[in-house]
Amino acid sequence: MAFPEQGPDPVELKVTDSLRVALDHAFEDARACLVRDGGVMPFTVICTSDGFEVHDHPGDDVDETCNSVKTLLAQEVPEAYVFSYDGYLDLDEGRRDAIICEMARRGDAAAERLALRYERDEEGDLAFDDEIVSVGRAKALYPSGTKPIVSGLVQLAAEREAAERAAADSETRSAGLPDDTKE
């Protein structure tokens, strides 16, 4: 399965390894549910420091399902998530069924939407496209104000680098270099 394209030119998405694994799992799990059960209950794969967790979102309507995802993200505040559901795309050639996955990293303002289109024949057999396609962006479902995760080691390295620069600047000033402010 190729990943992902939009129109004639591929779209390159920057995803972490863990988000890529979560996305692959979401598409494969949704696909297996469609084949086995004929439908997909919306679910979210969250990326945590301990690995991955999958959470179902039973709901009577779109708002209830989205509120369930938002509640999960507010409680867990994972490093990233993939929200997967069975939906459709309105295309020039008509409406097409699709597995849709929305993915975002913590701190992202927008989630990327990707889709795997499929068709069901008269006998009920499914035929999936070979390509996962980008279908735009949506507002990320994280609670507002959620900040990106900054690794403690990354933060420590940044602080050390700033301290080293400050020390180097201090040494340069005290090394007896001419001071342009003296007359």
Side-chain angles (χ1 to χ4, degrees), residues 27-62:
F27 274 118
E28 289 304 316
D29 193 38
R31 186 178 180 157
C33 286
L34 270 174
V35 169
R36 182 184 63 240
D37 304 328
V40 176
M41 178 181 296
F43 65 92
T44 303
V45 180
I46 60 173
C47 303
T48 68
S49 59
D50 295 329
F52 304 95
E53 295 177 15
V54 179
H55 298 265
D56 290 334
H57 302 288
D60 293 330
D61 58 35
V62 172

Side-chain angles (χ1 to χ4, degrees), residues 10 13 17 25 32 37 44 47 50 60 64 68 73 87 93 99 122 133 138 152 157 161 167 176:
L13 298 175
D17 288 342
H25 174 79
D37 304 328
T44 303
C47 303
D50 295 329
D60 293 330
E64 191 175 328
S68 175
L73 296 176
E93 62 267 15
I99 297 169
E122 288 89 30
V133 295
E161 186 176 309

Side-chain angles (χ1 to χ4, degrees), residues 145-169:
T146 303
K147 301 288 186 223
I149 294 176
V150 176
S151 164
L153 292 176
V154 171
Q155 183 65 34
L156 182 59
E159 289 171 6
R160 284 185 182 157
E161 186 176 309
E164 288 170 1
R165 266 188 267 127
D169 289 346

Side-chain angles (χ1 to χ4, degrees), residues 96-143:
R96 290 278 314 270
D97 290 325
I99 297 169
I100 300 173
C101 289
E102 297 181 15
M103 66 175 185
R105 292 178 307 227
R106 187 169 148 179
D108 288 349
E112 296 291 338
R113 280 188 177 154
L114 303 173
L116 176 61
R117 296 173 288 199
Y118 68 89
E119 292 182 5
R120 190 181 305 267
D121 65 18
E122 288 89 30
E123 290 84 40
D125 293 327
L126 296 169
F128 292 90
D129 283 5
D130 293 329
E131 303 284 330
I132 293 172
V133 295
S134 175
V135 292
R137 302 179 93 192
K139 185 178 182 308
L141 296 173
Y142 280 108

